Amino acid sequence: MGYFRKITGEHLYLSPFDAEDTEIQFKWAKWMNDRDVSDTFDGHKNHTSLSNVKISLQELTGYRYFIVLSEDDTLIGQISLHNVDHLHRNAFLGIMIGEVEYHGKGYGTEAAQLVLDYGFNTLNLNNIALSVHEDNHAGIACYKKLGFKEYGRRREAFFKNGKFYDVIYMDILAREFNKYSVKE
């Protein structure tokens, strides 16, 4: 599978999503069945086979991209702006670094910075929101680094491994985003 350099950054690029690609379907199923990956977004409770991955990928909407390393074209995850409302100029951000060996290396921050820049400066959005589980400390740190602010919390709304966790809601406005503000 070849990828397209739609949005490029320093270490990675974002390539348009192709739900029909069988390599992608396999990778997605692998990520969804990897508890270290899927626990961060409630995917651990799902049974994910290749056949349901294909159906799920075809049903996804919005601006969805693969996160690909520039150096060697390695696919490491996906990012999206979904539930886009062009009238009210808002959307939701979703991100997954599916390859665990690439966690904690700044790739999620760079990918999010690229898609925020695209959302604010190309799509003319004003507000981009997300939700994150309170035990996803790396995700919360990443979002704060990018300028997201907490605007709400749903208490004990996520159950995992015998314990309830809060779901934190965060957002960022176009005027708060500075694509050059994140430091490595």
Side-chain angles (χ1 to χ4, degrees):
M1 156 90 199
Y3 303 107
F4 304 99
R5 293 174 184 259
K6 175 73 174 177
I7 304 169
T8 58
E10 186 177 347
H11 302 101
L12 54 85
Y13 63 93
L14 306 181
S15 177
F17 212 84
D18 181 5
E20 294 298 318
D21 187 289
T22 54
E23 177 187 343
I24 298 312
Q25 293 168 8
F26 181 80
K27 279 266 197 180
W28 196 278
K30 174 186 167 221
W31 297 341
M32 298 315 255
N33 285 301
D34 183 335
R35 195 147 184 153
D36 290 333
V37 175
S38 63
D39 265 0
T40 62
F41 56 86
D42 201 20
H44 69 281
K45 70 180 190 302
N46 300 325
H47 170 75
T48 307
S49 66
L50 283 173
S51 58
N52 13 27
V53 164
K54 184 174 183 176
I55 293 166
S56 297
L57 290 176
Q58 290 170 338
E59 292 174 349
L60 295 176
T61 60
Y63 298 87
R64 297 189 175 268
Y65 301 98
F66 297 124
I67 302 170
V68 185
L69 298 181
S70 297
E71 179 180 80
D72 59 4
D73 294 322
T74 299
L75 173 64
I76 64 167
Q78 70 87 28
I79 191 165
S80 66
L81 289 173
H82 54 277
N83 295 358
V84 178
D85 182 333
H86 290 287
L87 175 63
H88 299 292
R89 297 177 49 207
N90 62 56
F92 285 87
L93 173 76
I95 184 169
M96 171 178 57
I97 301 297
E99 299 297 331
V100 177
E101 63 268 26
Y102 295 102
H103 287 188
K105 299 187 183 302
Y107 296 123
T109 302
E110 183 176 349
Q113 194 170 19
L114 291 171
V115 88
L116 288 172
D117 183 49
Y118 181 75
F120 291 133
N121 297 311
T122 301
L123 299 178
N124 197 31
L125 297 174
N126 184 57
N127 176 295
I128 297 175
L130 58 83
S131 65
V132 60
H133 302 142
E134 73 174 314
D135 65 328
N136 184 352
H137 305 292
I140 293 167
C142 168
Y143 304 137
K144 285 181 177 179
K145 183 187 227 183
L146 289 162
F148 279 86
K149 294 174 178 40
E150 182 176 333
Y151 71 85
R153 183 178 285 254
R154 188 170 181 190
R155 297 173 303 134
E156 297 183 6
F158 176 68
F159 185 76
K160 178 176 73 173
N161 298 329
K163 184 177 176 190
F164 285 98
Y165 296 91
D166 292 356
V167 177
I168 300 169
Y169 296 92
M170 303 176 84
D171 70 355
I172 185 171
L173 301 176
R175 68 178 172 267
E176 297 168 338
F177 175 70
N178 179 350
K179 68 180 178 178
Y180 305 107
S181 66
V182 177
K183 302 291 184 241
E184 296 295 322

